[in-house]
Amino acid sequence: MTTATAPLSPATGRSHLQESLFSWLEPEPATKPPTAEPTLTPPSTPVPETKTLEEPARQDPPAAPAPAKKDLSHVWVVAAEIVVAPNIASIADFRGSFKTTEGQRVDALEVYCKGCRRPYDEVKGRDCAEKIDNKHLIGGDQSVRAKRKIPVPPPNAKIIPGGTINRRGVGAYVSGVSRPKR
């Protein structure tokens, strides 16, 4: 396979971009209109233009909008039991959803809040705990919760102390803890 390349000219290459990159730093030369008579005065040095920085008129920042009240209402969902045909059951198993016929009766097994996962009877009329504080979903406050119990070995078991295993850092990688041995 042959690749043809043409030489890049300044007009088509990238070199013309470099030339004008810092041209704004140099003062522009003062040019005089051409005259028919030569003048005997010495050429004057170009005077760079000075620009003054004008401060924009001060504007007061817009007033902060009143903080919107957080919606603490529950989002109610129903755990339902629906009798379906075998072909719809396979579709529901594959897709995770299905369509039912109009007017089909649905048995509600449980009504609960989607956020706090608490039954309708317990939290009816109260704010949703998930939108206030989510600690109840992780088993309560971690600082006051009971610690995990250490399993007790069987009475005839003998515990043999072993060495420590380095599971972190480069040493663990080199020793084969986090990767299979070759």
Side-chain angles (χ1 to χ4, degrees):
M1 181 174 178
T2 307
T3 306
T5 58
L8 293 176
S9 65
T12 60
R14 287 189 239 162
S15 62
H16 69 284
L17 296 175
Q18 294 281 335
E19 295 168 3
S20 63
L21 189 61
F22 297 104
S23 63
W24 60 275
L25 290 174
E26 300 171 4
E28 294 181 8
T31 58
K32 290 184 180 180
T35 58
E37 300 177 11
T39 57
L40 299 174
T41 58
S44 62
T45 59
V47 178
E49 292 183 26
T50 57
K51 295 181 181 179
T52 59
L53 180 63
E54 296 178 10
E55 291 186 19
R58 288 192 168 196
Q59 296 177 352
D60 292 332
K69 188 174 180 181
K70 188 175 178 183
D71 180 25
L72 300 176
S73 61
H74 292 276
V75 178
W76 299 111
V77 293
V78 176
E81 188 174 273
I82 302 172
V83 178
V84 294
N87 61 342
I88 295 188
S90 67
I91 292 170
D93 183 49
F94 179 72
R95 291 190 181 154
S97 65
F98 64 97
K99 293 183 179 179
T100 63
T101 60
E102 183 178 345
Q104 183 176 5
R105 182 156 180 90
V106 178
D107 297 329
L109 300 176
E110 186 181 7
V111 179
Y112 60 94
C113 175
K114 188 176 184 179
C116 64
R117 306 273 187 193
R118 292 189 176 159
Y120 179 80
D121 301 350
E122 289 181 13
V123 294
K124 175 178 57 175
R126 288 192 262 158
D127 292 335
C128 182
E130 185 260 342
K131 295 178 181 176
I132 297 170
D133 187 10
N134 215 6
K135 286 185 180 177
H136 72 283
L137 291 177
I138 58 172
D141 187 7
Q142 302 286 318
S143 63
V144 298
R145 193 168 78 171
K147 303 297 178 197
R148 290 191 177 118
K149 296 177 183 174
I150 299 173
V152 179
N156 59 355
K158 183 177 179 185
I159 298 175
I160 302 171
T164 59
I165 299 173
N166 183 11
R167 290 189 168 91
R168 293 183 175 85
V170 175
Y173 180 78
V174 172
S175 66
V177 173
S178 61
R179 64 174 176 79
K181 292 185 178 181
R182 293 184 182 196

